[in-house]
Amino acid sequence: MTPLSIAMISDFFHPDVGGVENHIYMLSATLIGKGHKVIVITHSHAPDRVGVRWLLPWLKVYYIPFLPIASSATLPNFFTSLPYLRTILLREHIHLIHAHASLSSIGHEGILHAHLMGIRTVFTDHSLFGFEDAASILTNKLLAGTLKNVDAVICVSHTGRENTVLRGELFERDATAPSKLIVRNNVYVIPNALVADEFKPGPPKSTDIITIVVLSRLAYRKGIDLLVATAPRICAAFPNVRFIVGGDGPKLIDLLQMREKHLLQDRIELLGSVRHSDVRSVLHQGAIFMNTSLTESFGIAILEAACAGLYVVSTRVGGVPEILPSDMISFAEPEEDDLFRAMSEAIRIVAAGKHDPQRAHERVKTFYNWEDVAARTEKVYDAVMKSPQIELWERMQRTMELGPFAGPIYTIILIVDCIFFMFLEWWMPREDLDYANVRWNAERFARLAEKERAKTMQSTVNAGG
Amino acid sequence: MPKPDDAAWAKILWKKQPFSDNYVPQNLFLSSLRRNTNFKPYTYWPVVLLSCAITQHISTIFIFLATFVRLRERLLDPRTLVLISVACFVAGYTVWSWLDVAMISKADRNANHLKALKSSILIFFALMSLSPVLRTLTAATSSDSIWALSAVLFILNALLADYSVHDGQVHERLTSVLSMNAAISASVVLASRLTTDVAVFALVLFSVQAFALFPMLRHRLQASTTAVQCSLTLGLALTALSLTAPLSWTVTCIFFMTLVSVTFLAPACLVWAQKFKNEIRGPWDVAVPKVN
């Protein structure tokens, strides 16, 4: 397809670390490799990460000066980002913006403003939400307001798509039977991926001692209560088993108490928080990976463990059952007894040497790779670019469908946004903008780098001589 | 693309399937969606019965207010009120220990009786010695502020009170403690408007009966038979109405309307609103871990 200029917009990006952050970076890098121009727009980080930065491979990152309020998300205020985004999107000649994560307000704002400049929009949802508590109800309404006018939605798992379709009200009336509601045809499922070569299996281990690895944030949602309940039972039933638990969080105290109470200090090792670069070395120490999450949209940690050759035991929640074939993973219901049963089975399988880490690695390698994800995402971009732009009048009509209260509010926001944009057009005319016309030139960079290296070599030789 | 066929589609991500990424399997999509799984519809009369606790509480507040007005207007001798309070206490305590018979052994019961006697004597004398202080507590404050303050405190008391049903061991929650404190504070500030020490003592003693001890008894009675519940509610409501009626016709009307709407109208609204209930459950919900 013809190369596009794409802007990834999300509150969650480097220097923060996490699943969404990694996804955006890897997708951008792969798309750059395919010849597109990609920039990332995110909020600034204290103390001094603000302005334009470059990341390898020539990925331009705009840190716009907004401060996050909680968990690295900025306050949703709809309008204040427009001057920044307008300038950036125009000067970079952006064709399409790709917003990530449903709690990232800057992404929502990008989708709200994009149509003013004729820019198309894609949104990727990374997480699952319930429908019960007040926080979910509010954020779901916010999401529904944004997704009414988005050109395409990508979800990371089939379960995630069901969830997003319900939360974002992504239904429309069937053209043939007006009483029937069908899912909009611009909702895609494209899974996450991983760099398989970064998670190669470690050297073969003896099966005398079986190490179980747990790597997770120690929080209620990660099912640490189940771990606390089952770990002593597993230790009592299998004298050759030890645990390594990596991660930090509010439930750490429960784990420490459990270890104290059952005198398992020599068999359960608590590592505290583990840096992403150390994950592989922790995984290499183990033979079984245990995941006790109570909800999970995709479960990239499970995939990384499976790729590193560990046998995986997981609770059957969210999108986890979709990501691996059933012979590579044992499932348990989120219950103490069932988890114990699944773990016992897994320990027997591994002790009998029935699990081949190398083969597991080779298989995972064929399942997921970023090239495939980028190619599938490109198809979405292509479909979006070919689809007709939604007119303002239709946008207003769609927004009014949100409901008797939210509908008018969002429509007013939409209209005020248009007026604000017209004001900006007068106040900062397009002719006066500082356009970025020069693209990163890889060859020139290589030449310069080579020259620089030669110069340093020369000076070292001179200094040495 | 091959012709879409739901049978060939699987809900997996690890294998490339011959469908486009935006393909939605019509029959399988949202097949694991569950609606109103844990939904038990309420019926009218049981909800009315449950609302009796609220009616009783509001009636208690109005009985207390009517008593206060009578003391202030000198229509009631404070000594009579003290006698009534003591009688109520004895009656209530008899019922309480009668309910205890089935649960607690005889030795424990006797120990409990002694404890109750000791603390009641203690409270009696403490209140008596404090009453001169309480009488002049808010002398510098205007009566208008006191009426407003006590109204707010009583509303807080009614909102936060624990109306749940539990038998035996009472597990005190923060809200019910706050509720009781609000009521006692309200009665203390009201008592400070009275003129004699005996009246102050009588009113505060009565408020302890009404807002600290009676709710405890009420919780236990709530678990008993429907007949007891209904007669208690009816008795309290009628007492409150008959005590309020001679004082102010308007207040009596408002009070009566409140009682009717709380007991009969509000449950009807709840039962009616149930048809809008739409609880969505699916695989994305946070699972509830089952630990032995």
Side-chain angles (χ1 to χ4, degrees), chain A residues 147-434:
Chain A
L147 296 193
K148 276 285 173 206
N149 290 315
V150 79
D151 290 314
V153 178
I154 299 174
C155 303
V156 292
S157 63
H158 294 293
T159 305
R161 175 165 72 171
E162 294 181 347
N163 186 238
T164 306
V165 163
L166 290 175
R167 279 162 54 217
E169 298 166 20
L170 298 172
F171 293 104
E172 61 185 6
R173 295 202 183 285
D174 197 337
T176 50
S179 61
K180 211 174 121 197
L181 286 173
I182 53 165
V183 179
R184 271 167 33 185
N185 69 348
N186 56 3
V187 190
Y188 299 79
V189 175
I190 298 176
N192 247 317
L194 78 172
V195 183
D197 290 336
E198 277 184 21
F199 294 95
K200 285 205 174 101
K205 286 170 285 284
S206 76
T207 48
D208 299 342
I209 289 199
I210 292 171
T211 308
I212 298 170
V213 176
V214 179
L215 276 174
S216 116
R217 205 158 40 78
L218 302 180
Y220 172 79
R221 284 166 74 91
K222 298 291 177 186
I224 302 304
D225 295 323
L226 286 171
L227 176 65
V228 168
T230 41
R233 284 180 65 180
I234 295 165
C235 285
F238 300 93
N240 59 339
V241 163
R242 55 188 277 268
F243 279 85
I244 296 181
V245 181
D248 201 355
K251 287 274 176 187
L252 177 66
I253 193 90
D254 293 29
L255 275 175
L256 286 168
Q257 279 175 352
M258 176 268 287
R259 196 169 71 158
E260 201 90 341
K261 190 176 153 198
H262 296 274
L263 300 173
L264 292 168
Q265 283 90 342
D266 56 335
R267 299 185 57 191
I268 300 180
E269 193 184 340
L270 299 176
L271 298 175
S273 64
V274 176
R275 287 215 312 270
H276 193 254
S277 50
D278 299 335
V279 164
R280 184 173 44 169
S281 64
V282 175
L283 287 176
H284 280 171
Q285 296 174 43
I288 298 175
F289 182 82
M290 182 176 173
N291 171 57
T292 53
S293 279
L294 304 179
T295 176
E296 196 79 68
S297 173
F298 184 78
I300 191 77
I302 297 171
L303 216 54
E304 288 172 354
C307 190
L310 277 76
Y311 190 84
V312 178
V313 177
S314 173
T315 42
R316 192 190 297 277
V317 293
V320 177
E322 302 169 25
I323 62 172
L324 281 174
S326 53
D327 56 334
M328 293 182 73
I329 184 167
S330 283
F331 283 112
E333 298 307 319
E335 294 162 12
E336 182 188 331
D337 292 335
D338 203 46
L339 192 62
F340 177 69
R341 174 200 60 76
M343 283 305 293
S344 313
E345 266 172 33
I347 292 168
R348 273 184 219 111
I349 289 172
V350 171
K354 284 184 195 156
H355 179 71
D356 180 2
Q358 200 57 45
R359 188 164 163 267
H361 173 73
E362 295 301 330
R363 286 181 72 189
V364 173
K365 220 171 164 177
T366 62
F367 295 159
Y368 298 101
N369 62 71
W370 282 108
E371 283 296 322
D372 178 48
V373 170
R376 288 160 81 171
T377 311
E378 255 186 332
K379 267 188 207 156
V380 177
Y381 293 163
D382 196 37
V384 166
M385 295 308 289
K386 281 181 183 146
S387 67
Q389 174 77 281
I390 311 170
E391 295 301 322
L392 181 61
W393 180 243
E394 202 195 333
R395 274 174 200 275
M396 281 159 65
Q397 279 178 327
R398 284 190 183 198
T399 311
M400 283 303 282
E401 286 168 14
L402 276 173
F405 296 104
I409 295 173
Y410 274 89
T411 312
I412 289 168
I413 290 174
L414 190 67
I415 294 166
V416 172
D417 197 47
C418 292
I419 296 168
F420 188 29
F421 181 74
M422 290 193 308
F423 169 75
L424 286 174
E425 288 282 274
W426 166 79
W427 193 48
M428 292 194 284
R430 291 191 188 206
E431 305 86 78
D432 297 356
L433 288 180
D434 180 18

